[in-house]
């Protein structure tokens, strides 16, 4: 790489207000805190005015010991490596899976696509994403509050219901009554216990739920291999990258792939291929974030049975050139946003 083609990395923390609040079993929040990485590369004509800019966004998650400040520091620690020509293949060995690597990986893919004047799925030799149906999330609350929120979204074909442990049979029954025609996915976010696992699964089965995400805590989910599962069960907190996949075969029927867990799109695509080969259904999920986080995840949707990329719909505002949402459908990104 010549000095005229040098790469420069900058990063920053950004905050986006949530429309209302977003509540799961671990608590509520009123804003999405993201970290954005930008990698610019000047062209041989000199100056960035004729060059390229790749962007990636991540959401640090306290559940995995991540903070926005530490994630930002981890990204900025790679400035010299990026200036020296680090590419996304070398990045996989240079950083562990997690939010920081995700932002860098997606920025490098975006940069690569722009330099080649091709779309990201062409650069990665993956399938072109098409418009698809995404779930819409109903936050955890009382049965009455959840029924009220569900009624407003009952026209959507797929709803994702956040549950929290005790009282969940009443919650899911109230939700089903409010949305008799929608398909339902449930996300317990590790809040169930061995004592309420069976009755909660039975209540979900009675309500016609098609998938239950992460009912038991990661690391304490062996019981799932010992029971008859009346509904498909999906690993979320229990699956991160390729290394975590093999141990899940007897416990789960599906895996939720999120770029912030895998450490980027490069690993996520490899994980999807491996999961598919093992017979898992694939779900592509997200954190509450802007369209810049959702755009790379769209490349996983051709392999996904379940799609949950509604993050921007939960925000009070999105980025410019954000993904197009048409009721329940989400459309692939335009190049002005990413890839």
């Amino acid at each position: 790489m010549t000095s005229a083609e040098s790469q420069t990395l900058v990063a920053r923390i950004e905050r986006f207000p949530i429309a209302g609040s977003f509540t799961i079993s671990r608590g509520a929040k009123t804003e999405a805190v993201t970290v954005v990485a930008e990698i610019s590369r000047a062209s041989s004509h000199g100056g960035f005015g004729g060059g390229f800019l790749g962007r990636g966004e991540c959401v640090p998650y306290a559940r995995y010991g991540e903070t926005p400040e530490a994630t930002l520091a981890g990204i900025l620690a790679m400035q010299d490596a990026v200036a020296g020509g680090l590419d996304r293949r070398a990045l996989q060995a240079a950083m562990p899976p997690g939010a920081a690597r995700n932002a860098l990986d997606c920025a490098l893919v975006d940069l690569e696509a722009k330099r080649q004047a091709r779309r990201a799925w062409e650069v990665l030799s993956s399938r072109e994403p098409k418009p698809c149906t995404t779930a819409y999330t109903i936050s955890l609350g009382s049965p009455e509050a959840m029924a009220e929120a569900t009624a407003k979204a009952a026209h959507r074909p797929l709803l994702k219901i956040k549950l929290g442990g005790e009282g969940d049979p009443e919650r899911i029954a109230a939700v089903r009554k409010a949305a008799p025609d929608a398909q339902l996915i449930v996300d317990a976010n590790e809040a169930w216990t061995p004592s309420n696992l069976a009755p909660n699964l039975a209540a979900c089965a009675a309500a016609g739920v098609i998938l239950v995400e992460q009912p038991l805590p990661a690391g304490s989910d062996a019981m799932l291999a010992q029971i008859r599962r009346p509904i498909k069960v999906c690993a979320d907190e229990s699956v991160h990258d390729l290394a975590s996949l093999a141990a899940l075969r007897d416990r789960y029927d599906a895996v939720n792939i999120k770029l912030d867990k895998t450490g980027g799109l490069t690993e996520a695509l490899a994980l999807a291929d491996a999961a598919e080969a093992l017979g898992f259904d694939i779900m592509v999920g997200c954190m509450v974030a802007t369209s810049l986080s959702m755009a790379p995840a769209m490349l996983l949707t051709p392999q996904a049975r379940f799609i949950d990329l509604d993050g921007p719909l939960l925000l009070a505002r999105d980025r410019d050139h954000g993904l197009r949402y048409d009721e329940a459908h989400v459309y692939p990104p335009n190049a002005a946003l990413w890839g």
Side-chain angles (χ1 to χ4, degrees):
M1 184 187 303
T2 67
S3 59
E5 297 174 326
S6 63
Q7 296 181 156
T8 301
L9 167 64
V10 298
R12 60 187 174 273
I13 296 172
E14 297 184 349
R15 299 174 185 273
F16 292 82
I18 291 172
S21 66
F22 180 75
T23 305
I24 65 173
S25 62
R26 281 187 283 272
K29 60 181 181 178
T30 57
E31 65 176 3
V33 183
T34 72
V35 183
V36 175
E38 294 182 345
I39 301 176
S40 58
R41 180 163 176 160
S43 72
S44 57
H45 302 296
F48 176 63
F52 308 94
L53 176 69
R55 300 189 301 166
E57 175 183 284
C58 69
V59 181
Y61 197 22
R63 168 65 179 82
Y64 306 132
E66 297 174 331
T67 66
E69 294 75 19
T71 299
L72 177 63
I75 292 171
L76 294 176
M78 300 300 293
Q79 284 178 314
D80 288 346
V82 169
L86 179 80
D87 63 19
R88 61 185 176 83
R89 298 163 191 85
L91 175 67
Q92 310 309 306
M95 297 183 76
R101 194 178 80 183
N102 176 34
L104 281 174
D105 184 75
C106 292
L108 286 166
V109 172
D110 189 28
L111 181 65
E112 200 172 337
K114 288 181 167 63
R115 290 185 62 223
Q116 295 185 27
R118 302 164 70 203
R119 296 312 307 266
W121 50 87
E122 298 173 313
V123 170
L124 297 170
S125 299
S126 60
R127 285 180 268 174
E128 179 180 357
K130 305 292 184 181
C132 53
T133 299
T134 179
Y136 181 79
T137 302
I138 303 297
S139 287
L140 176 65
S142 68
E144 296 76 18
M146 293 182 72
E148 182 179 356
T150 300
K152 296 175 182 177
H155 62 285
R156 295 178 179 272
L158 181 62
L159 298 177
K160 177 171 173 173
I161 312 303
K162 292 290 188 178
L163 295 183
E166 295 303 320
D168 281 349
E170 292 76 19
R171 292 185 180 99
I172 198 61
V175 163
R176 172 49 81 198
K177 185 176 180 180
D181 299 323
Q183 288 192 310
L184 302 181
I185 294 171
V186 156
D187 187 0
N189 284 115
E190 305 180 282
W192 293 359
T193 66
S195 62
N196 65 27
L197 176 64
N200 283 347
L201 283 174
C204 288
V209 171
I210 60 173
L211 187 75
V212 174
E213 277 188 76
Q214 199 68 44
L216 298 175
S220 301
D221 54 1
M223 184 178 181
L224 292 172
Q226 302 162 9
I227 64 168
R228 186 187 70 82
R229 301 190 290 271
I231 307 169
K232 287 187 175 183
V233 177
C234 179
D236 183 358
E237 286 85 353
S238 288
V239 62
H240 289 253
D241 57 1
L242 274 168
S244 63
L245 185 61
L248 307 179
R249 295 183 68 179
D250 296 332
R251 304 177 188 186
Y252 295 95
D253 310 290
V255 292
N256 188 347
I257 300 176
K258 295 178 180 174
L259 303 193
D260 283 315
K261 293 188 299 177
T262 64
L265 183 58
T266 301
E267 178 78 3
L269 288 169
L271 175 58
D273 287 343
E276 201 169 44
L278 290 173
F280 288 105
D281 282 339
I282 293 170
M283 180 177 188
V284 53
C286 68
M287 306 297 288
V288 182
T290 79
S291 285
L292 186 56
S293 281
M294 307 303 122
M298 283 294 298
L299 272 66
L300 293 163
T301 59
Q303 292 176 268
R305 166 70 177 82
F306 307 98
I307 296 163
D308 177 28
L309 296 178
D310 66 339
L313 297 179
L314 306 176
L315 300 177
R317 61 178 176 87
D318 194 9
R319 296 184 184 280
D320 292 340
H321 310 293
L323 293 183
R324 175 187 167 195
Y325 288 89
D326 180 9
E327 285 298 328
H329 291 92
V330 57
Y331 291 75
N334 60 55
L337 175 68
W338 182 89

